[in-house]
Amino acid sequence: MGTLLKSAPPSAIFGLVVLVAVALTGIFAPLIAPYGETEVVGGAYQPWSAAHLLGTDNLGRDMLSRMIFGARNTVGLALLTTALAFSFGAMLGMLAALKGGWLDEVMSRMVDVLMAVPALILALMLLAIVGPSIPNMIGVIAVIYVAPVYRLARAAAMNVVDLDFVEAARLRGERTPWLLWREILPNIWSTLIAEFGVRFCFVFLFIAALSFLGIGIQPPTADWGAMVKENATLISFGDITPLIPAAAIALLTVAINLIVDWMLHRASGLKS
Amino acid sequence: MSQLQKLVIGRMFLGILTLFVVSALMFVGIELLPGDLAQQILGQSATESTLAAFRAELGLDQPPHIRYLDWLGGVLHGDFGTSLASGREVSDLLGIRLANTMFLAAYAAVIAVPVAVVLGLLAALWRNTLFDRGVNLTALSAISMPEFFVGYVLILFLSIKAGVFPTLARIDSATSLWDALYRTFLPALTLILVVVAHMMRMTRAAIINVLASPYIEMARLKGVPQWRIIVSHALPNALAPIVNVVALNLAYLIVGVVVVEVVFSYPGLGQLLVDAVSSRDFPVVQAVGLFFAAVYITLNVLADIISIVSNPRLRHGR
């Protein structure tokens, strides 16, 4: 681990530092935050002061505390959603590659339809049906992002299923879960991991955008995207406070992209 | 019928089929809801008679396939139903907003496409120079930023601090073209920044791909000057991928419009769609969503067809 970190370029170190800082902030949010997540501590739109480092928001809640809890909510939900999309997408993709036939055909055509429509429009249409709420949003985004993961997992697994050791396991009489879990998954694991970072960025930006539009994470839950929307009025007075959560979103995305770039570079460098 | 014609017709048919599936998706989704749509919208406290009236209004007393065919028949006659929130015809609501959204998207595209292609060309030409690195880094950070962040930063600096452009992009039928271009400059610039980044990176990749071919090396060894290699050797072969890139990014632009319209309170389809989703105004969501999907699918099919027509190798694939 130590040597790995030493070989990392400055850009990746920067990315890792940001990522760890955000993760720690999210995990220890209640300990760090000076006030509660939804606690009203004073008048609306108070300027920055010693008591409220970033001032207060449109309802008189402490901005800094909401930023800290926002790290937990926004990033945590993005992580959960990506993990869901990955478990289902990877499982179905490997299953399609292993079984082939009509199962593969039906699932692949469904994924084609999902991917033919822009994700944001599809999410808006689905959320109109089920109604905006946090569990619904997670479900809808996970369903949408199952599609690209399915495609990747299926393509990667296709290269593995015809190999001799899978054939041998099949002849041994191993069941499908064993084949998926013990024979195929370990061999496409590295491909999936790199993709996880990229997809997490998309999902994270997607949740932020939906919350900004008012149909993602619902108030009073603190969320970076929604915080921009709630306090947008302040911008017309030349106050940069509402831009801080937006900048946090941008910073985290850049950080993850830098780490993924480094990992991809390392993976390709080791192969050649 | 030539093989090419068959392929092109096949792609168009697939595109139209996808649209049908997407339009049916909403009806299936409503059907799968636990309980009943009327109950979901009106809540637990609704009385039985209000529910019945609302069901009749939504047509929920009909089986889903009949409802779908009814709706489809209406759409083919230009009738998208009535809005649940305002009671107005959906087609009336769409009219002017459709024009506004197309205006904004076209405005951004007209500027973004040439800028992106030229930047991509230059970055490929001066690969690994300071210029290339600078452009690439800017593009990468622009891609990582949410559209609303870019929009608000532009508002803060160009509108509030410098006072050059208005904060809100309010236009109506009385606004002159010149005035409309001025007022929508900031939303257009937001879209341009985001789209140029994507388009420029893809253009650069397409050209570098062509520059790696042996015939380019041959030209270089013959002593052909660098600019001639680019203009008369590389560009004709890179043109097809570039056109493909442009079509794909225009499809991306049509989605970016939604968020940008909300940031600048621009009276377009995106704003309408978001409002309709929060009030769960299904006829409007369905019409607007389908319109966005149709434009997106059309542009993607177009990109597909362009690459098939321009690259004979793709015609004999599989």
Side-chain angles (χ1 to χ4, degrees):
Chain A
M1 195 65 195
T3 46
L4 188 68
L5 278 180
K6 257 180 213 156
S7 73
S11 60
I13 300 273
F14 170 75
L16 282 171
V17 168
V18 172
L19 188 64
V20 170
V22 172
L24 289 178
T25 314
I27 294 168
F28 298 109
L31 300 178
I32 307 170
Y35 301 94
E37 182 180 358
T38 57
E39 186 186 344
V40 176
V41 292
Y45 297 134
Q46 282 178 9
W48 296 9
S49 64
H52 307 288
L53 287 179
L54 295 178
T56 56
D57 74 353
N58 59 333
L59 297 178
R61 295 167 296 193
D62 184 52
M63 253 327 239
L64 181 66
S65 307
R66 283 181 72 75
M67 278 296 296
I68 293 170
F69 278 101
R72 166 182 268 194
N73 298 330
T74 317
V75 180
L77 287 179
L79 210 57
L80 176 68
T81 312
T82 320
L84 271 177
F86 254 78
S87 338
F88 283 102
M91 203 176 68
L92 294 177
M94 291 190 301
L95 195 66
L98 187 68
K99 293 285 175 193
W102 64 268
L103 185 74
D104 179 21
E105 199 63 30
V106 168
M107 288 202 292
S108 296
R109 290 297 83 77
M110 277 163 64
V111 163
D112 283 350
V113 172
L114 275 183
M115 289 191 73
V117 189
L120 183 63
I121 304 300
L122 191 60
L124 288 177
M125 289 172 83
L126 293 177
L127 278 173
I129 298 176
V130 295
S133 75
I134 292 179
N136 285 347
M137 180 196 68
I138 295 175
V140 164
I141 300 180
V143 165
I144 292 174
Y145 277 96
V146 156
V149 180
Y150 167 89
R151 269 203 189 163
L152 181 81
R154 182 178 169 277
M158 274 294 187
N159 297 327
V160 179
V161 283
D162 291 331
L163 295 180
D164 289 343
F165 64 88
V166 180
E167 196 62 28
R170 239 190 259 205
L171 290 174
R172 256 189 348 253
E174 302 291 2
R175 293 179 189 283
T176 309
W178 173 284
L179 289 176
L180 293 182
W181 188 252
R182 298 297 297 269
E183 309 290 340
I184 301 178
L185 187 62
N187 288 292
I188 64 170
W189 192 239
S190 55
T191 320
L192 289 179
I193 287 290
E195 183 73 6
F196 190 91
V198 180
R199 287 295 152 200
F200 173 78
C201 284
F202 282 121
V203 171
F204 178 62
L205 284 176
F206 202 95
I207 290 182
L210 279 182
S211 305
F212 171 74
L213 294 176
I215 33 206
I217 299 173
Q218 298 294 312
T221 311
D223 161 78
W224 290 349
M227 284 170 74
V228 179
K229 180 73 172 178
E230 287 163 6
N231 302 300
T233 332
L234 271 186
I235 297 179
S236 34
F237 299 108
D239 191 332
I240 62 152
T241 316
L243 288 179
I244 295 174
I249 295 169
L251 182 68
L252 185 62
T253 321
V254 173
I256 295 172
N257 272 327
L258 290 175
I259 301 173
V260 170
D261 263 7
W262 169 55
M263 280 166 63
L264 287 178
H265 186 76
R266 245 176 58 85
S268 65
L270 290 179
K271 264 178 204 158
S272 64
Chain B
M1 200 160 46
S2 79
Q3 200 178 359
L4 182 65
Q5 277 171 321
K6 259 189 218 159
L7 260 168
V8 169
I9 290 174
R11 284 300 148 94
M12 287 181 358
F13 176 74
L14 263 182
I16 294 170
L17 192 70
T18 315
L19 270 183
F20 274 111
V21 175
V22 172
S23 69
L25 200 72
M26 280 217 52
F27 284 86
V28 177
I30 292 173
E31 209 48 40
L32 291 178
L33 268 186
D36 164 36
L37 182 65
Q39 187 91 56
Q40 280 256 329
I41 295 182
L42 294 178
Q44 294 298 330
S45 56
T47 61
E48 202 45 52
S49 60
T50 359
L51 279 176
F54 194 59
R55 278 193 196 113
E57 196 189 332
L58 284 172
L60 283 176
D61 40 2
Q62 308 272 336
H65 58 277
I66 302 285
R67 250 188 303 142
Y68 179 63
L69 289 179
D70 265 359
W71 178 82
L72 199 63
V75 169
L76 295 178
H77 290 102
D79 172 20
F80 290 89
T82 6
S83 157
L84 296 180
S86 65
R88 290 175 59 194
E89 288 282 314
V90 175
S91 40
D92 286 353
L93 285 173
L94 290 188
I96 184 72
R97 284 169 175 268
L98 179 69
N100 285 346
T101 293
M102 292 318 258
F103 172 74
L104 182 58
Y107 188 6
V110 163
I111 300 178
V113 172
V115 169
V117 171
V118 169
L119 277 182
L121 254 173
L122 291 180
L125 189 55
W126 298 325
R127 199 164 9 144
N128 295 333
T129 60
L130 214 59
F131 173 79
D132 182 28
R133 273 158 212 258
V135 167
N136 252 318
L137 195 71
T138 320
L140 196 68
S141 19
I143 289 171
S144 305
M145 286 172 193
E147 284 102 343
F148 56 86
F149 181 55
V150 179
Y152 279 127
V153 168
L154 288 179
I155 289 184
L156 183 66
F157 286 106
L158 292 181
S159 171
I160 310 288
K161 299 260 187 214
V164 194
F165 294 100
T167 327
L168 298 179
R170 292 245 165 83
I171 61 168
D172 50 49
S173 48
T175 323
S176 70
L177 175 67
W178 188 244
D179 216 22
L181 284 177
Y182 168 68
R183 286 192 204 170
T184 52
F185 182 73
L186 283 189
L189 186 61
T190 311
L191 283 172
I192 290 168
L193 285 177
V194 178
V195 172
V196 159
H198 279 273
M199 220 185 309
M200 172 258 146
R201 274 163 66 92
M202 287 159 86
T203 308
R204 176 178 177 275
I207 296 197
I208 285 181
N209 214 357
V210 172
L211 284 181
S213 339
Y215 77 93
I216 297 286
E217 196 175 359
M218 177 67 200
R220 211 170 266 152
L221 292 174
K222 271 196 313 196
V224 180
Q226 180 76 2
W227 65 269
R228 272 209 57 177
I229 292 183
I230 295 277
V231 173
S232 60
H233 291 253
L235 205 53
N237 279 300
L239 211 52
I242 291 176
V243 172
N244 196 9
V245 164
V246 169
L248 284 179
N249 279 288
L250 291 185
Y252 179 83
L253 197 142
I254 215 69
V255 182
V257 155
V258 176
V259 176
V260 171
E261 277 181 7
V262 174
V263 172
F264 291 92
S265 316
Y266 182 76
L269 281 185
Q271 177 91 258
L272 181 67
L273 178 61
V274 173
D275 290 345
V277 171
S278 357
S279 60
R280 304 183 78 184
D281 189 346
F282 292 97
V284 177
V285 173
Q286 192 134 35
V288 180
L290 211 58
F291 166 78
F292 277 118
V295 174
Y296 187 81
I297 291 174
T298 311
L299 285 168
N300 271 305
V301 169
L302 207 65
D304 250 18
I305 291 178
I306 290 169
S307 50
I308 294 175
V309 170
S310 62
N311 189 349
R313 273 170 296 185
L314 288 179
R315 285 179 224 164
H316 306 286
R318 262 165 238 257

